[in-house]
Amino acid sequence: MEKHTNLAAERHRLALRFNLSESAIEPEIVPLMLAVEKSVDKIEQAAAKVNETIKPVTYNNHYGHNASAWTIWWGNLSTGIGQNIVAVSLVFSAFLLCCLGAFMIKDAMADKEKIKHAEETLLLIKINFIRDENGDFFIPNGNYEMTKDKKGIKLMNREE
């Protein structure tokens, strides 16, 4: 950054550039405003460089107004291949499908473990609990004993 020795001249220049009065600009913030001004200039230069390097992709598909969806799809695919757009998107799509397949297989394996655990729990419930005619479950006296602290029960026929 250039060394700005004349604070009053810079204050006057900044006031003109940002359409402010000189009295609205405190002398203490002039260095900060100069830094912001320099940053804005660099951002504008970078944006100009980026905009110069980006070339738009134009599709020159002359289908006419009565083209079928099939013709338009194949035309867009061939134009995309010519612009190297389709190759990148196909590789990316294949990667996403592989990831999705891996998660589906993992989830299916986890489901089998959950089903096995649920079946074991159901078997334990069927062994120790009895269902009455109202559909309520209860534990017969012979299937449990009280814990030593008298705060709970312990199942007798627990097969694990």
Side-chain angles (χ1 to χ4, degrees):
M1 189 168 126
E2 296 176 25
K3 299 267 183 183
H4 297 285
T5 56
N6 192 351
L7 184 63
E10 288 300 326
R11 189 173 171 194
H12 178 70
R13 189 182 63 77
L14 288 170
L16 291 176
R17 178 163 185 197
F18 294 112
N19 198 16
L20 299 169
S21 67
E22 284 186 49
S23 61
I25 301 174
E26 296 291 328
E28 293 84 16
I29 66 167
V30 169
L32 177 64
M33 289 182 73
L34 290 173
V36 168
E37 179 186 33
K38 182 108 174 150
S39 297
V40 167
D41 290 342
K42 287 192 177 212
I43 290 171
E44 287 173 355
Q45 290 172 358
K49 284 183 184 178
V50 169
N51 288 336
E52 287 174 6
T53 59
I54 295 175
K55 303 291 185 224
V57 175
T58 56
Y59 293 95
N60 296 319
N61 299 328
H62 305 288
Y63 301 128
H65 64 281
N66 289 329
S68 69
W70 187 251
T71 305
I72 293 172
W73 188 85
W74 278 109
N76 284 336
L77 181 65
S78 64
T79 304
I81 290 171
Q83 298 292 332
N84 292 328
I85 296 171
V86 173
V88 173
S89 63
L90 286 177
V91 169
F92 184 70
S93 299
F95 175 73
L96 286 179
L97 286 175
C98 288
C99 290
L100 181 65
F103 283 118
M104 288 175 60
I105 290 170
K106 180 183 172 280
D107 194 38
M109 295 171 109
D111 285 347
K112 288 180 184 178
E113 292 173 5
K114 289 177 186 176
I115 290 170
K116 182 180 177 187
H117 178 68
E119 288 174 349
E120 291 171 356
T121 305
L122 180 63
L123 181 63
L124 181 67
I125 290 172
K126 282 185 177 180
I127 291 171
N128 290 303
F129 292 78
I130 296 177
R131 193 176 214 172
D132 63 3
E133 60 275 350
N134 295 334
D136 299 327
F137 288 98
F138 67 94
I139 305 173
N141 287 339
N143 289 357
Y144 70 92
E145 65 180 19
M146 294 294 291
T147 58
K148 292 179 184 176
D149 59 357
K150 304 287 184 191
K151 292 185 178 179
I153 60 172
K154 181 178 178 183
L155 294 176
M156 301 295 290
N157 297 339
R158 188 173 176 111
E159 297 177 7
E160 283 190 0

mmCIF file of all heavy atoms in Angstrom, residues 86-102:
data_model
loop_
_atom_site.group_PDB
_atom_site.id
_atom_site.type_symbol
_atom_site.label_atom_id
_atom_site.label_comp_id
_atom_site.label_asym_id
_atom_site.label_seq_id
_atom_site.Cartn_x
_atom_site.Cartn_y
_atom_site.Cartn_z
ATOM 1 N N VAL A 86 -20.743 -33.852 -20.456
ATOM 2 C CA VAL A 86 -21.379 -35.125 -20.151
ATOM 3 C C VAL A 86 -20.404 -36.089 -19.502
ATOM 4 O O VAL A 86 -20.755 -36.790 -18.558
ATOM 5 C CB VAL A 86 -22.007 -35.732 -21.429
ATOM 6 C CG1 VAL A 86 -22.530 -37.118 -21.172
ATOM 7 C CG2 VAL A 86 -23.116 -34.828 -21.920
ATOM 8 N N ALA A 87 -19.159 -36.127 -19.958
ATOM 9 C CA ALA A 87 -18.195 -37.065 -19.380
ATOM 10 C C ALA A 87 -18.002 -36.801 -17.902
ATOM 11 O O ALA A 87 -18.015 -37.729 -17.083
ATOM 12 C CB ALA A 87 -16.866 -36.949 -20.121
ATOM 13 N N VAL A 88 -17.863 -35.557 -17.528
ATOM 14 C CA VAL A 88 -17.686 -35.220 -16.116
ATOM 15 C C VAL A 88 -18.937 -35.555 -15.325
ATOM 16 O O VAL A 88 -18.867 -36.136 -14.235
ATOM 17 C CB VAL A 88 -17.319 -33.728 -15.973
ATOM 18 C CG1 VAL A 88 -17.308 -33.313 -14.521
ATOM 19 C CG2 VAL A 88 -15.984 -33.445 -16.622
ATOM 20 N N SER A 89 -20.096 -35.234 -15.869
ATOM 21 C CA SER A 89 -21.331 -35.502 -15.137
ATOM 22 C C SER A 89 -21.603 -36.998 -15.026
ATOM 23 O O SER A 89 -22.141 -37.456 -14.031
ATOM 24 C CB SER A 89 -22.506 -34.779 -15.780
ATOM 25 O OG SER A 89 -22.720 -35.251 -17.087
ATOM 26 N N LEU A 90 -21.227 -37.791 -16.043
ATOM 27 C CA LEU A 90 -21.417 -39.238 -15.945
ATOM 28 C C LEU A 90 -20.511 -39.848 -14.891
ATOM 29 O O LEU A 90 -20.924 -40.721 -14.123
ATOM 30 C CB LEU A 90 -21.171 -39.898 -17.300
ATOM 31 C CG LEU A 90 -22.254 -39.701 -18.355
ATOM 32 C CD1 LEU A 90 -21.840 -40.343 -19.666
ATOM 33 C CD2 LEU A 90 -23.577 -40.254 -17.880
ATOM 34 N N VAL A 91 -19.268 -39.415 -14.824
ATOM 35 C CA VAL A 91 -18.353 -39.922 -13.796
ATOM 36 C C VAL A 91 -18.865 -39.539 -12.412
ATOM 37 O O VAL A 91 -18.876 -40.357 -11.492
ATOM 38 C CB VAL A 91 -16.921 -39.380 -14.028
ATOM 39 C CG1 VAL A 91 -16.026 -39.663 -12.853
ATOM 40 C CG2 VAL A 91 -16.339 -39.980 -15.299
ATOM 41 N N PHE A 92 -19.299 -38.309 -12.259
ATOM 42 C CA PHE A 92 -19.822 -37.857 -10.977
ATOM 43 C C PHE A 92 -21.083 -38.642 -10.606
ATOM 44 O O PHE A 92 -21.254 -39.053 -9.458
ATOM 45 C CB PHE A 92 -20.116 -36.355 -11.039
ATOM 46 C CG PHE A 92 -20.579 -35.776 -9.742
ATOM 47 C CD1 PHE A 92 -19.719 -35.658 -8.675
ATOM 48 C CD2 PHE A 92 -21.890 -35.358 -9.595
ATOM 49 C CE1 PHE A 92 -20.139 -35.124 -7.473
ATOM 50 C CE2 PHE A 92 -22.323 -34.826 -8.402
ATOM 51 C CZ PHE A 92 -21.451 -34.707 -7.343
ATOM 52 N N SER A 93 -21.964 -38.869 -11.566
ATOM 53 C CA SER A 93 -23.188 -39.639 -11.306
ATOM 54 C C SER A 93 -22.863 -41.074 -10.917
ATOM 55 O O SER A 93 -23.496 -41.638 -10.017
ATOM 56 C CB SER A 93 -24.088 -39.623 -12.532
ATOM 57 O OG SER A 93 -24.476 -38.319 -12.853
ATOM 58 N N ALA A 94 -21.887 -41.690 -11.594
ATOM 59 C CA ALA A 94 -21.491 -43.060 -11.246
ATOM 60 C C ALA A 94 -20.942 -43.112 -9.831
ATOM 61 O O ALA A 94 -21.241 -44.042 -9.070
ATOM 62 C CB ALA A 94 -20.454 -43.561 -12.253
ATOM 63 N N PHE A 95 -20.148 -42.131 -9.449
ATOM 64 C CA PHE A 95 -19.620 -42.083 -8.086
ATOM 65 C C PHE A 95 -20.749 -41.975 -7.068
ATOM 66 O O PHE A 95 -20.754 -42.681 -6.051
ATOM 67 C CB PHE A 95 -18.654 -40.900 -7.946
ATOM 68 C CG PHE A 95 -18.157 -40.690 -6.551
ATOM 69 C CD1 PHE A 95 -17.228 -41.551 -6.003
ATOM 70 C CD2 PHE A 95 -18.630 -39.628 -5.794
ATOM 71 C CE1 PHE A 95 -16.771 -41.362 -4.707
ATOM 72 C CE2 PHE A 95 -18.176 -39.437 -4.502
ATOM 73 C CZ PHE A 95 -17.249 -40.302 -3.959
ATOM 74 N N LEU A 96 -21.721 -41.109 -7.335
ATOM 75 C CA LEU A 96 -22.851 -40.962 -6.417
ATOM 76 C C LEU A 96 -23.666 -42.247 -6.313
ATOM 77 O O LEU A 96 -24.100 -42.626 -5.224
ATOM 78 C CB LEU A 96 -23.742 -39.807 -6.859
ATOM 79 C CG LEU A 96 -23.196 -38.400 -6.618
ATOM 80 C CD1 LEU A 96 -24.165 -37.360 -7.136
ATOM 81 C CD2 LEU A 96 -22.920 -38.173 -5.156
ATOM 82 N N LEU A 97 -23.863 -42.934 -7.433
ATOM 83 C CA LEU A 97 -24.614 -44.190 -7.400
ATOM 84 C C LEU A 97 -23.866 -45.266 -6.611
ATOM 85 O O LEU A 97 -24.488 -46.055 -5.885
ATOM 86 C CB LEU A 97 -24.911 -44.664 -8.822
ATOM 87 C CG LEU A 97 -25.997 -43.877 -9.553
ATOM 88 C CD1 LEU A 97 -26.121 -44.354 -10.995
ATOM 89 C CD2 LEU A 97 -27.325 -44.010 -8.838
ATOM 90 N N CYS A 98 -22.545 -45.312 -6.744
ATOM 91 C CA CYS A 98 -21.749 -46.275 -5.963
ATOM 92 C C CYS A 98 -21.861 -45.984 -4.467
ATOM 93 O O CYS A 98 -22.006 -46.911 -3.662
ATOM 94 C CB CYS A 98 -20.289 -46.243 -6.403
ATOM 95 S SG CYS A 98 -20.017 -46.992 -8.015
ATOM 96 N N CYS A 99 -21.804 -44.723 -4.103
ATOM 97 C CA CYS A 99 -21.951 -44.358 -2.690
ATOM 98 C C CYS A 99 -23.333 -44.736 -2.176
ATOM 99 O O CYS A 99 -23.477 -45.283 -1.079
ATOM 100 C CB CYS A 99 -21.712 -42.867 -2.503
ATOM 101 S SG CYS A 99 -20.009 -42.375 -2.732
ATOM 102 N N LEU A 100 -24.354 -44.467 -2.976
ATOM 103 C CA LEU A 100 -25.712 -44.807 -2.584
ATOM 104 C C LEU A 100 -25.866 -46.321 -2.417
ATOM 105 O O LEU A 100 -26.478 -46.790 -1.457
ATOM 106 C CB LEU A 100 -26.703 -44.282 -3.630
ATOM 107 C CG LEU A 100 -28.177 -44.538 -3.368
ATOM 108 C CD1 LEU A 100 -28.616 -43.793 -2.117
ATOM 109 C CD2 LEU A 100 -29.005 -44.110 -4.555
ATOM 110 N N GLY A 101 -25.290 -47.096 -3.328
ATOM 111 C CA GLY A 101 -25.341 -48.550 -3.224
ATOM 112 C C GLY A 101 -24.646 -49.055 -1.975
ATOM 113 O O GLY A 101 -25.141 -49.971 -1.301
ATOM 114 N N ALA A 102 -23.499 -48.478 -1.639
ATOM 115 C CA ALA A 102 -22.786 -48.895 -0.434
ATOM 116 C C ALA A 102 -23.616 -48.629 0.811
ATOM 117 O O ALA A 102 -23.692 -49.473 1.717
ATOM 118 C CB ALA A 102 -21.448 -48.171 -0.353
#
